[in-house]
Amino acid sequence: MGILDVIGPIMVGPSSSHTAGACRIGLFAKKLLGQRAISANFFLHGSFSATGEGHGTPLALLAGLMGWSPEDTRIQNAMKIANKSGLDYKFSAQDLGNVHPNSVMIQLKGKSNKVEVCASSIGGGQISVWSIDGFAVELNGENPTLLVSCPDRRGLIASISSIIAEAQISIAAMKVHRNIFTGKNMMTIELDNMPPLSIIDSINNLTNIDMVRLISSVFSGT
Amino acid sequence: MFQESTTFQMFLEQANDWQVPLHNVFLDYEVTVSKRPRKVLWEMMRSRIDVMQTSINEGLSKPQNSRSGLIRGDANLMQGWIDSGHSLLDPLFSKIIASALAVAEVNACMGRIVAAPTAGSCGVLPSVLITLAHHKKINEDELIGAFFTAGGIGIVIEQRASLSGAAGGCQAEVGSASAMAAGGLVEMLGGSPDQVGHAISFALTNVMGLICDPVLGLVEVPCAKRNVLGAVNAVACAEMALSGQKSIFSADAIIETMGKVGRKLPEEFRETAKGGIATIPLPDKF
């Protein structure tokens, strides 16, 4: 944490965890879907469901889903604007288990993509994404992130990291999550800088890649 | 260069060794931590101060009404009181009170603010530092410097205690904001780094044990008025430090004690809305 995190972020109130963090979770989910959301199902856990309404948590989640950042003053009208845009959304309370009190599971559907993401707002507007499509992950949304889903096959990591190296980008952190039942892997690769969008095609052109997503930072530099 | 766990003493010694204001040392720290150039950091702080000024103006000029009905334009009411010439002390003092309310109310009503250190305590720093900078004709760079000092104090508190009401009660939010504002103010008005330390000690000592008891779990009551407490306390503690009064205990000792008290606070007094003011039944109209 730095001084400009202590004096910051610039945000719409009333709560850095219930409003700013919630917005960033919505924004992360939107970027993860990679296309416009047609329907969204939000499952609010713990304090998000208990006091979220009064803190504008549903508004902030919707705002993020529409691509707005936590400082966007349209957040208080997010529901009206989402309704007008034809987004089909639903909020309900759900116990997500032994997780942070400010947590949410979001199921998103777009024209061709769908995704399920679980995340927590851990204070000061910081977030922790801990599950994507059933894979346990560990992301904070700060770095541009590549998400690759593929079979558990030798050499894929080397091929993907050389594509990243060719783009002159450094890897800040990388994790491989295995599902022993399906034989599928999910790689999360956090990068120092945003690579060109063409990197998605380059990785997709490798054999047997199921899905590639490039998620830019949900922290817009303020 | 900087240890894992920072102490105020460490920054203080460096400022004294180099004969520079604390904000220089804190800015060096921020350059190291953020890997951003000085100039970028300075501009980022400037834009935060601009946002704070806008929230002050918004809260004073337009009555802020929250969706719950618990906040009803009190900052605007206070501005009217000042304008009518009724201020009890110098109108400047009323302006600090009104500004703290204004920013806290804008936050409660989903307007744009700067969390400093938190959204719940966002009224303290702007009301104290910006209002007094205008009054004392402090130049903008000195004001920005004071905010770096305030932020640096926040870093120390975050590492040795807590800045979160859920973890440490209101003393950790409004209390920390008050200590940050007091320290920043001392520097802005020409006090020494040691005097900054005394101001921190005074400010945190005065709010030791203050609980977080938000009515309906919202950042409205008692939060907005607790921001006034933080602001007024900061001014008083800065003035005591500037007059040459010295705290018996070091800033680090007081900060650590605040952290210990926070950890001992029962859960009902840590933002759960299960204790204190939050347990009083609300009148029917709410």
Side-chain angles (χ1 to χ4, degrees):
Chain A
M1 198 182 211
I3 290 174
L4 290 154
D5 301 310
V6 171
I7 312 278
I10 298 172
M11 55 168 275
V12 160
S15 158
S16 54
S17 51
H18 286 73
T19 323
C23 179
R24 286 193 176 126
I25 291 174
L27 192 55
F28 186 93
K30 181 217 183 238
K31 291 178 180 203
L32 180 61
L33 183 68
Q35 56 188 215
R36 211 173 83 93
I38 298 169
S39 80
N41 211 343
F42 298 92
F43 300 91
L44 303 173
H45 168 91
S47 171
F48 260 19
S49 87
T51 68
E53 184 65 42
H55 285 119
T57 303
L59 294 171
L61 285 166
L62 281 173
L65 218 51
M66 293 188 283
W68 307 348
S69 65
E71 63 192 87
D72 199 311
T73 50
R74 292 173 296 178
I75 290 178
Q76 49 181 296
N77 299 317
M79 218 160 251
K80 266 182 244 157
I81 297 171
N83 290 342
K84 227 181 253 174
S85 79
L87 174 72
D88 177 27
Y89 62 86
K90 203 177 126 196
F91 288 94
S92 50
Q94 182 155 321
D95 187 348
L96 299 177
N98 186 20
V99 297
H100 191 282
N102 296 327
S103 294
V104 59
M105 175 166 77
I106 309 175
Q107 292 169 341
L108 278 187
K109 274 194 197 120
K111 203 170 163 203
S112 53
N113 296 348
K114 62 176 189 171
V115 71
E116 182 189 281
V117 56
C118 299
S120 308
S121 178
I122 56 174
Q126 309 286 312
I127 67 169
S128 162
V129 179
W130 45 270
S131 167
I132 294 174
D133 289 340
F135 284 95
V137 297
E138 215 177 299
L139 296 168
N140 59 23
E142 283 188 45
N143 292 69
T145 301
L146 268 168
L147 222 94
V148 184
S149 139
C150 54
D152 194 358
R153 191 166 62 76
R154 257 175 239 132
L156 260 182
I157 294 177
S159 311
I160 292 169
S161 56
S162 67
I163 291 174
I164 296 168
E166 273 163 38
Q168 303 291 317
I169 304 279
S170 301
I171 295 176
M174 174 168 184
K175 283 207 179 88
V176 183
H177 311 270
R178 276 177 158 162
N179 185 325
I180 50 167
F181 299 108
T182 62
K184 295 277 183 192
N185 276 0
M186 166 90 78
M187 289 181 208
T188 56
I189 309 162
E190 296 172 75
L191 307 169
D192 275 358
N193 301 99
M194 187 71 178
L197 292 176
S198 60
I199 202 165
I200 299 177
D201 287 337
S202 309
I203 296 174
N204 252 327
N205 287 340
L206 299 169
T207 35
N208 289 335
I209 299 290
D210 296 318
M211 178 202 83
V212 183
R213 296 267 194 282
L214 177 59
I215 306 159
S216 58
S217 171
V218 297
F219 292 75
S220 50
T222 57
Chain B
M1 180 179 175
F2 292 103
Q3 297 162 19
E4 185 82 356
S5 179
T6 50
T7 59
F8 180 73
Q9 184 62 26
M10 212 175 82
F11 291 108
L12 183 64
E13 279 170 14
Q14 230 167 74
N16 284 336
D17 284 353
W18 298 350
Q19 298 283 304
V20 293
L22 270 166
H23 80 250
N24 288 41
V25 186
F26 285 129
L27 191 58
D28 281 348
Y29 167 89
E30 186 69 357
V31 169
T32 312
V33 170
S34 71
K35 301 184 190 73
R36 286 183 169 126
R38 244 157 217 281
K39 219 179 144 189
V40 170
L41 297 171
W42 202 256
E43 288 314 309
M44 283 173 79
M45 191 62 94
R46 190 195 307 276
S47 62
R48 279 161 167 67
I49 296 170
D50 287 346
V51 172
M52 289 177 178
Q53 180 66 66
T54 309
S55 8
I56 292 177
N57 298 347
E58 196 180 326
L60 292 181
S61 60
K62 276 186 293 203
Q64 303 292 309
N65 299 312
S66 68
R67 294 189 297 160
S68 69
L70 293 173
I71 295 266
R72 281 276 168 268
D74 285 353
N76 181 255
L77 210 58
M78 187 83 196
Q79 181 64 54
W81 170 259
I82 299 170
D83 293 342
S84 68
H86 282 94
S87 290
L88 297 185
L89 306 172
D90 190 297
L92 173 68
F93 189 73
S94 318
K95 182 76 189 285
I96 292 170
I97 298 173
S99 303
L101 278 177
V103 180
E105 289 181 4
V106 165
N107 177 59
C109 300
M110 298 195 81
R112 190 189 280 155
I113 53 94
V114 181
T118 60
S121 58
C122 66
V124 177
L125 283 162
S127 64
V128 172
L129 295 181
I130 297 179
T131 311
L132 280 163
H134 285 177
H135 179 75
K136 297 271 182 196
K137 308 228 175 346
I138 302 286
N139 74 44
E140 200 189 6
D141 278 338
E142 282 173 309
L143 176 62
I144 294 171
F147 269 99
F148 272 102
T149 295
I153 296 165
I155 292 280
V156 176
I157 299 177
E158 195 255 338
Q159 296 196 2
R160 306 194 75 76
S162 170
L163 294 172
S164 133
C170 193
Q171 56 161 9
E173 288 209 25
V174 164
S176 298
S178 192
M180 291 160 66
L185 183 56
V186 166
E187 180 176 302
M188 191 172 84
L189 299 181
S192 68
D194 286 292
Q195 288 177 325
V196 171
H198 296 308
I200 297 169
S201 299
F202 295 147
L204 271 185
T205 302
N206 284 356
V207 292
M208 190 72 59
L210 190 64
I211 61 170
C212 176
D213 47 355
V215 173
L216 298 176
L218 301 174
V219 194
E220 301 188 14
V221 174
C223 319
K225 277 156 178 88
R226 293 249 173 94
N227 272 265
V228 175
L229 165 77
V232 168
N233 182 49
V235 175
C237 293
E239 199 155 15
M240 288 195 281
L242 286 166
S243 77
Q245 299 175 47
K246 293 187 174 73
S247 165
I248 299 167
F249 304 109
S250 71
D252 287 314
I254 300 288
I255 290 169
E256 273 184 21
T257 304
M258 186 275 273
K260 276 185 204 155
V261 169
R263 287 190 290 278
K264 281 195 173 170
L265 279 181
E267 194 193 300
E268 54 261 49
F269 299 137
R270 287 185 280 114
E271 214 182 303
T272 52
K274 288 177 186 156
I277 301 290
T279 55
I280 306 174
L282 276 171
D284 286 342
K285 62 176 174 171
F286 292 103

